[in-house]
Amino acid sequence: MAKKVLIATYSRTGTTAKVAKALYELLPAADRFTIEVAPGTFSEEMTEVSEQATKQTETGNFPPLSKAIPNVSSYDLILVGSPVWNGAPATPSIPS
């Protein structure tokens, strides 16, 4: 029986999206979920984003996602892709 796979990604600048596209080509039967936050959640200035992400990680106050996460219990494998901010996954990718 084939395993059920979910590929979930957050991409601020498009780099992670390129990696996700390569994964989709390798795993065409995988379900896809794009992690998104409301426009304007993060500054265009990376230094400000870094400071905001650090504060969010310290406080556990993460930005809400724009759409609901799929029922992850129905998957055998979940691949999550995200930018790395301050040595950790981008804060939209960390479940609150």
Side-chain angles (χ1 to χ4, degrees), residues 26-76:
L26 293 171
L27 302 166
D31 290 340
R32 303 167 187 178
F33 178 73
T34 301
I35 300 166
E36 298 173 343
V37 294
T41 298
F42 293 104
S43 169
E44 293 299 317
E45 171 58 45
M46 196 58 215
T47 302
E48 291 176 23
V49 171
S50 179
E51 292 169 3
Q52 186 176 2
T54 297
K55 189 174 202 177
Q56 290 170 346
T57 301
E58 289 171 352
T59 64
N61 187 17
F62 301 111
L65 301 182
S66 297
K67 55 187 175 184
I69 297 172
N71 178 3
V72 295
S73 65
S74 67
Y75 292 96
D76 300 301

Side-chain angles (χ1 to χ4, degrees), residues 7-26:
I7 301 171
T9 55
Y10 172 69
S11 186
R12 182 171 176 270
T13 64
T15 302
T16 304
K18 289 177 187 175
V19 174
K21 184 178 183 228
L23 285 172
Y24 298 148
E25 290 172 4
L26 293 171

Side-chain angles (χ1 to χ4, degrees), residues 81-93:
S82 160
V84 175
W85 295 349
N86 299 324
T91 55
S93 303

